Amino acid sequence: MRPKIAASLAAAALLLGAGACAKSEDSGATTGTGAAPVASQVVQSAAPGAATCTADQYGASKIDLKTASVGFSQSEKEANPFRIAETQSIKDEAAKLGITNLKTSNANSQFNKQIADVEQMIDSGVQLLVIAPLNSDGWDSVFAKASAKHIPIVTIDRKINASACKDYLTFIGSDFAEQGKRAADAMAKALGNKGEVAILLGAPGNNVTTLRTSGFKDEIAKVAPDIKVTFEQTGNFSREDGQKVAEQLLQSKPNINGIYGENDEMALGAITALKGAGKKPGDVKIVSIDGTKGAVQGIVDGWISAVIESNPRFGPLAFETATKFFGGTPVGQDIVIQDRAYDESNAKSDIGSAY
């Protein structure tokens, strides 16, 4: 079982220099009795010899974040609970630390706009960039501008295909392939290791979709070869698109046994489609990834079998990492966080940990 997510950031701080991380144990750990606390991100244990980065290696000047100009670039419009929680976490932690010059932008799912937003921040004199990238490729112009001014870039929640401690400082986020594997294990359990499954794919062009898909497929083939993936289509991480794709699915495959949503929003859209098709809770097993309150409530209501968390509360860990970096302490080039899981055993008691 995966360890219970601690509420204390102090535990995470001890591991920030860890870098690329070892695979943690699988779990749907509960918080025990009573209301579940809001869960801070906690770093997984590091693999021995994991790569780190220092300000000297990166060529960055040591600065005081309180007086620094900091830029945060959000990739998608904040209709998605993940994005709402992520942006709010960055803003809240900046305020808590006394950072008075925080510049924020939102690309509204337009990659060209995100590139332009970040380049404008660099031109305006930011000394640290925190980026939630829309796509994993296409950042060369940003790297060139940031490198010329020795501006550290912390990427969160999606990886950029580039070199850590050179093009960017570090990545903070989940092990997406592991999330897919855990979703596959949950689906195999829900279906009794047999049946037909559809995948609502995330948006193309980023490593989250690629790894959540490959992780799921590889694990299903390993643990439940009698489960066949017979439908795949992108729902773009959107509830509306997830509903539309699920409606198409139910027309072409009305007897589908399971739906794997690569985020909660698509899974919730699929539930709307299932209701419209006259399906009842549990007729089609759903497993998704994120950990929103709506999806966890979906477990309580019987529509969803399991949800693998992807914790969006990056503010404390992102700024703790930057503080250590600017203070001369090595930080991991890959900072992988633990993710809890929700199922019928803990959804009702732990919904307070969802977002």
Side-chain angles (χ1 to χ4, degrees):
M1 298 293 286
R2 188 181 291 263
K4 179 170 61 178
I5 299 293
S8 170
L9 184 62
L14 293 174
L15 295 165
L16 283 175
C21 301
K23 180 178 175 182
S24 68
E25 296 176 341
D26 195 52
S27 147
T30 69
T31 59
T33 59
V38 171
S40 297
Q41 290 177 338
V42 173
V43 181
Q44 289 186 17
S45 298
T52 60
C53 189
T54 65
D56 289 341
Q57 286 175 281
Y58 198 85
S61 301
K62 296 180 181 179
I63 62 173
D64 181 355
L65 280 179
K66 289 183 180 179
T67 58
S69 176
V70 178
F72 171 61
S73 171
Q74 177 58 273
S75 58
E76 299 175 3
K77 61 184 178 181
E78 288 160 22
N80 184 329
F82 183 97
R83 299 298 166 188
I84 295 171
E86 182 177 61
T87 297
Q88 195 60 50
S89 178
I90 295 292
K91 290 179 176 179
D92 287 349
E93 189 65 15
K96 179 181 175 181
L97 295 175
I99 297 172
T100 57
N101 192 5
L102 176 68
K103 304 176 187 295
T104 64
S105 65
N106 192 308
N108 290 313
S109 299
Q110 300 172 53
F111 187 57
N112 289 339
K113 182 179 185 308
Q114 185 167 40
I115 296 298
D117 288 344
V118 176
E119 290 183 348
Q120 185 176 22
M121 287 180 182
I122 294 172
D123 292 339
S124 75
V126 296
Q127 295 160 285
L128 170 69
L129 281 165
V130 180
I131 300 175
L134 181 65
N135 292 345
S136 296
D137 294 306
W139 290 90
D140 289 351
S141 63
V142 166
F143 294 147
K145 273 182 170 280
S147 177
K149 295 187 177 183
H150 305 288
I151 301 169
I153 298 174
V154 175
T155 64
I156 60 174
D157 87 54
R158 291 179 185 172
K159 242 181 184 178
I160 292 175
N161 293 328
S163 299
C165 203
K166 178 186 174 184
D167 300 314
Y168 66 95
L169 168 59
T170 186
F171 162 73
I172 304 174
S174 299
D175 182 334
F176 306 118
E178 177 69 8
Q179 289 177 330
K181 290 177 182 178
R182 297 178 72 197
D185 290 338
M187 183 64 77
K189 180 180 178 181
L191 290 180
N193 296 324
K194 60 183 179 181
E196 293 189 9
V197 171
I199 301 178
L200 303 185
L201 301 165
N206 66 81
N207 63 308
V208 177
T209 296
T210 301
L211 293 174
R212 285 181 181 172
T213 303
S214 62
F216 182 86
K217 287 182 173 180
D218 290 349
E219 186 73 356
I220 282 291
K222 178 182 176 182
V223 304
D226 289 334
I227 292 178
K228 306 299 180 184
V229 176
T230 59
F231 180 98
E232 296 177 58
Q233 190 168 322
T234 181
N236 290 305
F237 289 133
S238 158
R239 187 180 302 203
E240 182 179 3
D241 288 354
Q243 179 181 341
K244 290 177 181 177
V245 172
E247 287 169 349
Q248 295 169 14
L249 162 68
L250 292 169
Q251 289 174 3
S252 62
K253 295 184 176 295
N255 297 317
I256 195 76
N257 305 115
I259 295 175
Y260 166 42
E262 292 187 342
N263 82 337
D264 287 351
E265 285 295 282
M266 293 189 295
L268 292 169
I271 291 173
T272 301
L274 289 169
K275 290 177 179 178
K279 300 287 187 180
K280 304 299 182 186
D283 285 351
V284 178
K285 306 301 182 184
I286 298 176
V287 175
S288 66
I289 299 175
D290 265 351
T292 65
K293 278 187 167 64
V296 179
Q297 184 62 47
I299 299 175
V300 176
D301 295 340
W303 285 101
I304 297 178
S305 297
V307 174
I308 310 304
E309 182 189 59
S310 199
N311 193 329
R313 302 175 181 101
F314 286 93
L317 193 49
F319 285 119
E320 178 73 15
T321 302
T323 299
K324 293 171 78 71
F325 172 76
F326 286 123
T329 299
V331 299
Q333 293 183 19
D334 235 358
I335 300 174
V336 181
I337 61 174
Q338 294 178 358
D339 292 312
R340 62 186 291 129
Y342 300 92
D343 59 23
E344 63 180 0
S345 72
N346 66 348
K348 189 172 183 179
S349 62
D350 288 10
I351 195 169
S353 292
Y355 55 90

